């Protein structure tokens, strides 16, 4: 550990969210003595509110939500709602009625002009348990609205959906959403969340490339998206109160496994976003949390507190830290006196900020090095060797000799250039070929939702590109082959969780039975899953 210099006095107040925020309704003052005085804002996730005919597991009944809001306001804590889910279910029992129940549906709306007003109308109904009780939200925190409109469906693995064609079109719908919400809540302020590691920034890459994305910027250029949004908001006499960075601890503290992303200084990238917010005259909020929320409340809390010190030591000066988990842990909200509950962690943030304010030195851990992930370049080389031997001869031997055959990693700049060259070559060779995406879960394999129809030529052999998307808890060795054909299994590949790998499958019309091509996926535990890919034959 190394000591840093404390920055100018940070605010001792924080923003807070937890999926069990409804338990504040019956909390005794002694259950949250520190946080009652140190919270600036507490915000609900809109999908935990309960205007549905049948409640869901994490929903908060209307009377409970109203009582929780009343207790927050009684303690001078402002109320927010995380919302702006343009790519979630928007169906109302009574269309256009702001007091309607919401139909719990998995249907994804079509992202066409008018979706901004439609989303706001449905979400006004979803949060009616608050405003009908006289507790209108002080803040609406829109969860990455430009991504949801242009790259929808990322909340659910295996959804491939069509978004809006460009940033200006998407920004128009965000403005329409804001106008509709302002019509209902005249004094509400708007905060924009950016899931920042998954975006590129000013032409530089994202931290990782998600399933279905091929470019190094993953969801796109966040700078361009935000510039477009700020312009549209200003032209319509609206305003953004703050940018809120969704940037969990490991993105700040660890070198990316992606060699190309490792060329970026990620703590500096986050500081650039704060500087950008300042340049726009808006506040900057940092959600200081950790993906170890999948592991335990203890690990989550310890990492989150490390993050607080590390960001300040790096020179960051957020207007507010946000204590929030969208992970299984911490499972409980109260009481703050019980170690590792949600409000225990909030209280520690408040106390730590007060200590820093009076001169306590900052502790900062050095960034954690990690080896580059070699499974992607290995899989891309295999793919390229099948699709374009000439390109493989140009790239393959050099990449093997100067990176993949080495016991250690070369500099990130070198490995990053090689990985990008492989991605670009593979993108050229799969362009225009039929493609299917198969989602691998713990106990099944299914076709992704929203795929275009796969067309196989009638008369000549073709190459089908199959993208395998991992959703399991650990890396697996995958084999795949076409069922009922005299073909050897395709070369096995390692598939890391939540990543994707491409396979080339030689097919012709004779392999298609009843307008389906059956792909068999095999895993190391001996399980085999047949996936039927609907196809049609064409010229």
């Amino acid at each position: 550990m190394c000591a840093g210099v404390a920055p100018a006095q940070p605010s001792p107040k924080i923003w807070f969210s937890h999926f069990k925020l409804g338990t504040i309704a019956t909390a005794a003052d002694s259950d949250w003595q520190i946080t009652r005085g140190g919270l600036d804002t507490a915000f609900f996730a809109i999908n935990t509110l309960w205007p549905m005919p049948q409640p869901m597991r994490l929903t908060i009944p209307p009377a409970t939500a109203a009582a929780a809001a009343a207790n927050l306001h009684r303690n001078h804590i402002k109320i927010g709602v995380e919302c702006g889910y343009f790519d979630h279910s928007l169906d109302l029992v009574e269309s256009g009625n702001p007091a309607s129940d919401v139909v719990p549906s998995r249907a994804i709306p079509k992202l066409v002009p008018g979706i901004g007003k439609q989303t706001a109308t449905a979400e006004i109904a979803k949060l009616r348990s608050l405003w009908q009780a006289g507790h209108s939200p002080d803040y609406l925190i829109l969860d990455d609205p430009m991504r949801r409109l242009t790259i929808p469906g990322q909340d659910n693995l295996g959804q491939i959906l069509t978004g809006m064609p460009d940033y200006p079109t998407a920004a128009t719908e965000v403005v329409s959403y804001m106008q509709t919400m302002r019509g209902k809540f005249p004094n509400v302020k708007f905060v924009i969340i950016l899931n920042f590691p998954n975006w590129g920034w000013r032409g530089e890459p994202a931290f990782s490339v998600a399933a279905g994305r091929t470019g190094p910027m993953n969801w796109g250029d966040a700078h361009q998206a935000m510039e477009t949004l700020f312009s549209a908001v200003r032209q319509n006499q609206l305003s953004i109160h703050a940018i809120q960075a969704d940037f969990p601890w490991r993105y700040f503290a660890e070198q990316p496994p992606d060699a190309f992303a490792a060329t970026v200084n990620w703590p500096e990238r986050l500081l650039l976003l704060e500087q950008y917010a300042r340049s726009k005259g808006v506040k900057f909020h940092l959600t200081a949390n950790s993906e170890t929320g999948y592991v335990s409340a203890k690990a989550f809390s310890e990492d989150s507190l490390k993050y607080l010190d590390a960001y300040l030591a790096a020179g960051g000066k957020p207007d507010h830290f946000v204590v929030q988990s969208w992970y299984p842990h911490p499972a409980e909200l109260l009481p703050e006196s019980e170690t590792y509950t949600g409000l225990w962690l909030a209280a520690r943030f408040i106390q730590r900020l007060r200590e820093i304010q009076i001169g306590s030195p900052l502790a900062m851990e050095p960034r954690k090095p990690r080896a580059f992930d070699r499974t992607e370049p290995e899989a891309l080389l295999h793919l390229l060797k099948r699709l374009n031997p000439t390109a493989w001869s140009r790239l393959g031997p050099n990449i093997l000799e100067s990176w993949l055959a080495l016991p250690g990693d070369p500099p990130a700049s070198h490995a990053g250039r090689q990985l990008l060259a492989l991605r670009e070559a593979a993108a050229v060779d799969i362009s225009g070929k039929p493609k299917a995406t198969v989602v691998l879960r713990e106990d099944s394999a299914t076709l992704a939702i929203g795929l275009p129809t796969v067309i196989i030529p009638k008369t000549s052999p073709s190459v089908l590109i199959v993208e395998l998307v991992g959703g399991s808890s650990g890396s697996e060795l995958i084999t795949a082959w076409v069922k009922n054909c005299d073909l050897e299994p395709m070369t096995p590949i390692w598939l890391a969780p939540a990543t994707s790998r491409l396979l080339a499958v030689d097919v012709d019309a004779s392999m298609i039975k009843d307008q389906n091509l059956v792909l068999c996926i095999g895993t190391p535990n001996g399980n085999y899953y047949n996936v039927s890919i609907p196809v049609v034959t064409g010229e």
Side-chain angles (χ1 to χ4, degrees):
M1 304 283 283
C2 57
V5 177
Q9 297 179 348
S11 167
K13 290 202 171 187
I14 62 170
W15 284 38
F16 178 81
S17 184
H18 191 276
F19 51 85
K20 289 185 178 178
L21 194 57
T23 56
I24 290 289
T26 56
D29 287 354
S30 59
D31 287 338
W32 55 316
Q33 193 65 45
I34 297 171
T35 44
R36 281 193 308 114
L39 291 183
D40 179 276
T41 298
F43 58 97
F44 296 85
I46 194 167
N47 289 326
T48 64
L49 300 175
W50 185 22
M52 294 184 178
Q54 297 293 326
M56 300 176 73
R57 186 172 64 89
L58 293 176
T59 51
I60 304 169
T64 304
N71 204 8
L72 290 167
H73 273 165
R74 180 176 67 84
N75 285 283
H76 309 290
I77 298 168
K78 293 184 282 292
I79 293 172
V81 178
E82 185 173 305
C83 50
Y85 292 110
F86 298 93
D87 54 354
H88 281 207
S89 169
L90 303 175
D91 297 328
L92 302 180
V93 174
E94 302 171 67
S95 178
N97 179 2
S100 171
D101 282 350
V102 179
V103 179
S105 168
R106 294 185 178 275
I108 301 297
K110 292 183 178 179
L111 300 183
V112 296
I115 190 64
K117 182 177 181 179
Q118 181 188 356
T119 302
T121 301
E123 292 193 340
I124 288 169
K126 285 184 177 183
L127 55 86
R128 65 184 168 92
S129 58
L130 301 182
W131 57 260
Q132 282 185 334
H135 297 285
S136 295
D138 301 291
Y139 297 100
L140 294 177
I141 302 117
L142 280 65
D143 186 19
D144 219 339
M146 295 294 279
R147 189 277 298 166
R148 290 186 181 278
L149 287 164
T150 56
I151 311 289
Q154 298 299 304
D155 290 344
N156 297 294
L157 190 66
Q159 289 186 339
I160 300 174
L161 306 169
T162 301
M164 308 208 95
D166 52 44
Y167 293 147
T169 306
T172 297
E173 297 306 318
V174 179
V175 166
S176 176
Y177 174 96
M178 294 168 71
Q179 290 170 328
T180 304
M181 284 296 194
R182 181 60 61 80
K184 178 65 178 176
F185 310 116
N187 299 316
V188 76
K189 297 178 181 179
F190 298 98
V191 176
I192 303 297
I193 295 176
L194 267 181
N195 186 334
F196 201 41
N198 285 313
W199 287 88
W201 182 255
R202 290 182 178 268
E204 292 193 340
F207 194 93
S208 58
V209 179
R213 312 255 61 82
T214 54
M217 300 185 78
N218 197 28
W219 290 346
D221 192 320
H223 183 264
Q224 292 181 11
M226 292 303 295
E227 284 289 285
T228 306
L229 180 58
F230 270 108
S231 177
V233 167
R234 185 173 55 252
Q235 289 171 13
N236 286 274
Q237 290 76 53
L238 293 165
S239 63
I240 293 170
H241 174 75
I243 293 173
Q244 184 166 309
D246 167 358
F247 200 90
W249 170 237
R250 79 173 174 95
Y251 298 99
F252 189 89
E254 298 181 11
Q255 174 183 283
D258 181 298
F260 189 48
T263 61
V264 173
N265 181 320
W266 286 92
E268 184 178 277
R269 168 76 64 89
L270 183 56
L271 290 167
L272 287 174
L273 183 61
E274 179 179 335
Q275 293 169 19
Y276 178 76
R278 306 296 177 212
S279 75
K280 294 297 181 182
V282 307
K283 294 185 181 298
F284 179 72
H285 299 173
L286 174 60
T287 303
N289 67 7
S290 170
E291 291 173 335
T292 49
Y294 285 121
V295 178
S296 71
K298 180 177 184 293
F300 176 86
S301 299
E302 290 174 349
D303 281 353
S304 298
L305 287 165
K306 288 177 187 176
Y307 201 172
L308 184 159
D309 271 43
Y311 189 68
L312 294 176
K317 297 179 181 178
D319 294 283
H320 292 99
F321 282 101
V322 181
V323 179
Q324 180 183 14
S325 175
W326 43 83
Y327 309 105
H329 302 286
E332 300 303 326
L333 178 69
L334 289 162
E336 73 176 23
S337 59
E338 184 175 319
T339 307
Y340 305 130
T341 63
L343 284 183
W344 177 90
L345 178 59
R348 300 291 79 72
F349 262 74
I350 293 164
Q351 291 175 325
R352 181 63 186 139
L353 284 167
R354 288 172 178 167
E355 292 169 358
I356 293 168
Q357 191 176 32
I358 61 175
S360 175
L362 295 167
M364 181 177 174
E365 293 191 346
R367 292 194 79 212
K368 184 184 298 183
R370 59 189 297 175
F372 299 143
D373 175 16
R374 301 186 181 203
T375 61
E376 183 184 5
E378 288 169 350
L380 286 174
L381 278 176
H382 170 66
L383 180 74
L384 206 59
K385 195 169 188 177
R386 292 197 62 185
L387 295 179
N388 190 336
T390 301
W392 184 92
S393 297
R394 175 172 55 86
L395 295 171
N398 179 49
I399 292 174
L400 288 168
E401 180 180 354
S402 63
W403 177 13
L404 299 182
L406 299 177
D409 287 328
S413 58
H414 176 81
R417 286 194 300 270
Q418 293 194 330
L419 179 58
L420 185 60
L422 271 178
R423 287 175 176 168
E424 290 174 343
V428 169
D429 285 306
I430 67 175
S431 177
K433 293 181 173 60
K435 180 182 174 186
T437 299
V438 176
V439 182
L440 302 173
R441 303 190 186 277
E442 292 287 353
D443 56 357
S444 64
T446 58
L447 205 61
I449 299 170
L451 289 171
T453 302
V454 175
I455 302 174
I456 302 296
K458 284 182 180 178
T459 55
S460 60
S462 180
V463 172
L464 172 67
I465 301 299
V466 178
E467 180 182 35
L468 299 177
V469 180
S472 63
S473 58
S475 298
E476 292 186 285
L477 182 65
I478 304 297
T479 57
W481 61 92
V482 178
K483 192 178 181 185
N484 300 324
C485 294
D486 296 328
L487 293 176
E488 292 294 321
M490 285 162 276
T491 301
I493 61 168
W494 282 102
L495 185 71
T499 60
S500 62
R501 296 289 180 265
L502 301 172
L503 293 172
V505 185
D506 296 316
V507 296
D508 59 45
S510 67
M511 301 177 184
I512 300 168
K513 309 296 182 184
D514 300 323
Q515 293 190 307
N516 281 280
L517 178 72
V518 180
L519 189 71
C520 188
I521 307 293
T523 62
N525 58 13
N527 290 334
Y528 298 92
Y529 307 109
N530 292 328
V531 180
S532 293
I533 303 171
V535 298
V536 296
T537 52
E539 300 301 328

